[in-house]
Amino acid sequence: MKARVEDKIDMRHRLRIVHVITRLINGGADENTVHSCNWAAQGGHDVVLLHGESVHPEIMAKVDPRVKLIGVPSLTRSISPVSDVRALLALIRRFRALNADIVHTHTSKAGILGRFAAWAAGVPAIVHGVHIVPFVNVGVAERFAYLALEKLAAPVTSAFISVSAGIRDLCLSAGMGRPDKHYVVHSGFDLDRFRNAGPPDDWRDLLRLTPGAPRPPVLLMIAAFEPRKRHAEFLDVFKKVAVRLPDAVLVLAGDGPLHSIVESRAKWLGLERQVVFTGYRDDPERLIALADLCLLCSMREGLPRVVMQYLAGGKPCVACDLPGLREVLRPGINGVITPADDLAAMADAIAAVLEDRERLACLAQGAAATDLSNWDVKLMGKRIDAIYREALDQHRASRGVSTRPPVRNVALPR
């Protein structure tokens, strides 16, 4: 969709913006990156998106045609000294050739290599998007390595953009950069798409209902099938829910490397009748409209967009405690928060909410009434643009060059 006239960027201040991400899959950080690229390109900036070799066609199809896509095959998610050096050198060459004003990196690996490469290439402003904190809920050695690299990269980082205040605070407490370099910009999306959705037309087939069968209680979790999402571990405790509510159906939407393993786990646990695997769906808003209660049991996240999408769809959420989650999920009002290390407690909470229909209805009302204006995708784009401008002005000021007038009407969120 083309940007409206009032969303257009002053062409006198057109920027060359290069985004860098390790992979483009169906995840929150990837969708955030695509939205950021699209908004800037639709407003008139020159935008390039550099990505590693791991890509999904569904997310690639969402990239605006005005955004130039360039693959960097050596940019891989796993640690590989040879590939990492190649990726670093490739990124330096790209940044120099593109003559970038801004380099905006996303995710941990691309964030480290991309920022060092941008510094070596002399890019004026280097911005890092913090979608998740890589040093939380990991081993001691992994935590030490991540923190050491992040602290090395912090001095060359013009601005950090965190998806929640909780993530920003974790970064600052770990010594990653100065407070004045950190901003919070929530990961925006199309709110109306989720507020106005109805269930899928084929919802009865999706739930595998026989003709005339009543609609069962529906639980929904939308998440990529990756270790940190803990699908398999959740299925182990979901058996408790299945015993208390034998007619409940758990819908697991998404795809990823662990999909087949989790599906096999469900069969081994005897849950084939109560667990539905949808694979990737391009209509998450319709699945949310179908659900009674939505879930997230990740061990590590930023402030996941999917929780806001649940609430935008008017559905309460039961989630494990995560940094920043309480900015929007309020226990007893629009959801339930359980300890991050106790999935059994999460299962108990799910069953308790489903068994109390009056409580469920109250939580649904609270979800629908949640103020999500800070997650508007256009506001996200405007705030990021303002941060770019401030970073460039600070760069010019450090060189004794006069700065342009500040961007008006967009508060910079610290």
Side-chain angles (χ1 to χ4, degrees):
M1 184 177 67
K2 292 186 178 180
R4 297 180 302 176
V5 172
E6 60 264 35
D7 293 327
K8 286 287 185 181
I9 294 163
D10 187 338
M11 297 306 290
R12 293 172 299 172
H13 302 321
R14 185 172 185 165
L15 300 176
R16 288 177 293 277
I17 305 167
V18 181
H19 288 259
V20 188
I21 192 166
T22 310
R23 54 184 186 165
L24 276 173
I25 63 169
N26 302 307
D30 315 74
E31 291 180 358
N32 174 290
T33 302
V34 169
H35 279 310
S36 299
C37 290
N38 290 352
W39 192 90
Q42 289 161 5
H45 289 315
D46 294 325
V47 183
V48 178
L49 175 53
L50 304 181
H51 60 84
E53 63 180 351
S54 180
V55 296
H56 287 185
E58 301 91 353
I59 192 76
M60 296 286 277
K62 297 177 182 178
V63 179
D64 189 282
R66 286 164 284 197
V67 176
K68 185 176 182 179
L69 287 162
I70 300 177
V72 183
S74 52
L75 184 57
T76 60
R77 193 182 186 202
S78 58
I79 301 297
S80 171
V82 174
S83 291
D84 294 346
V85 170
R86 288 175 178 167
L88 179 68
L89 296 175
L91 290 172
I92 293 171
R93 290 193 297 270
R94 285 291 183 186
F95 296 153
R96 286 174 175 165
L98 293 167
N99 194 24
D101 297 304
I102 302 278
V103 163
H104 187 162
T105 63
H106 305 264
T107 66
S108 302
K109 181 75 169 292
I112 296 296
L113 295 178
R115 280 179 283 168
F116 284 135
W119 172 76
V123 175
I126 303 168
V127 176
H128 179 52
V130 188
H131 303 275
I132 188 171
V133 178
F135 49 81
V136 171
N137 292 332
V138 295
V140 175
E142 196 172 357
R143 173 181 169 81
F144 177 82
Y146 274 129
L147 281 173
L149 289 169
E150 286 290 348
K151 288 179 180 180
L152 283 173
V156 304
T157 308
S158 308
F160 295 87
I161 300 178
S162 295
V163 295
S164 74
I167 292 295
R168 175 203 59 197
D169 294 345
L170 280 172
C171 291
L172 288 172
S173 65
M176 288 170 51
R178 304 194 315 263
D180 63 313
K181 297 293 185 183
H182 283 262
Y183 304 84
V184 175
V185 179
H186 295 109
S187 189
F189 59 97
D190 183 352
L191 294 170
D192 290 339
R193 176 183 173 188
F194 290 83
R195 286 171 174 157
N196 302 321
D201 295 335
D202 62 344
W203 67 267
R204 294 188 66 87
D205 293 335
L206 180 69
L207 299 180
R208 302 194 298 256
L209 300 179
T210 57
R215 181 191 178 284
V218 178
L219 298 164
L220 171 67
M221 183 158 68
I222 302 176
F225 283 75
E226 298 179 341
R228 65 185 174 91
K229 304 292 187 178
R230 298 195 290 187
H231 288 86
E233 296 89 336
F234 178 70
L235 286 181
D236 290 341
V237 301
F238 178 69
K239 289 199 71 173
K240 297 173 65 176
V241 180
V243 169
R244 290 171 63 173
L245 294 152
D247 59 337
V249 175
L250 170 63
V251 177
L252 296 178
D255 209 344
L258 297 184
H259 187 279
S260 61
I261 293 173
V262 176
E263 196 162 6
S264 297
R265 184 72 176 170
K267 292 178 181 177
W268 187 83
L269 291 167
L271 294 171
E272 307 102 302
R273 188 179 65 82
Q274 287 186 273
V275 181
V276 173
F277 293 84
T278 71
Y280 170 77
R281 300 270 303 209
D282 62 2
D283 58 348
E285 71 282 1
R286 288 184 171 272
L287 294 180
I288 292 169
L290 175 63
D292 295 292
L293 188 62
C294 297
L295 316 173
L296 190 71
C297 61
S298 306
M299 65 185 295
R300 192 169 68 253
E301 292 275 7
L303 179 53
R305 291 153 51 91
V306 73
V307 171
M308 273 59 69
Q309 291 170 351
Y310 293 158
L311 298 176
K315 300 304 166 73
C317 176
V318 178
C320 291
D321 208 356
L322 294 164
L325 189 63
R326 294 174 190 269
E327 291 178 39
V328 66
L329 196 62
R330 298 176 177 85
I333 297 176
N334 57 11
V336 178
I337 298 176
T338 59
D341 58 353
D342 192 351
L343 289 181
M346 183 179 186
D348 290 336
I350 291 166
V353 171
L354 286 182
E355 288 170 341
D356 187 342
R357 303 303 291 184
E358 184 176 347
R359 182 186 177 196
L360 178 62
C362 287
L363 291 174
Q365 289 177 356
T370 303
D371 180 8
L372 297 171
S373 56
N374 276 331
W375 281 266
D376 179 78
V377 69
K378 292 177 182 176
L379 180 59
M380 179 184 79
K382 291 176 181 178
R383 285 178 167 173
I384 291 174
D385 186 72
I387 292 167
Y388 290 167
R389 303 293 184 184
E390 183 165 285
L392 283 170
D393 283 348
Q394 290 174 351
H395 171 76
R396 293 188 181 98
S398 70
R399 296 194 165 199
V401 179
S402 61
T403 62
R404 290 171 295 197
V407 175
R408 302 299 182 188
N409 303 320
V410 182
L412 291 177
R414 296 290 180 183

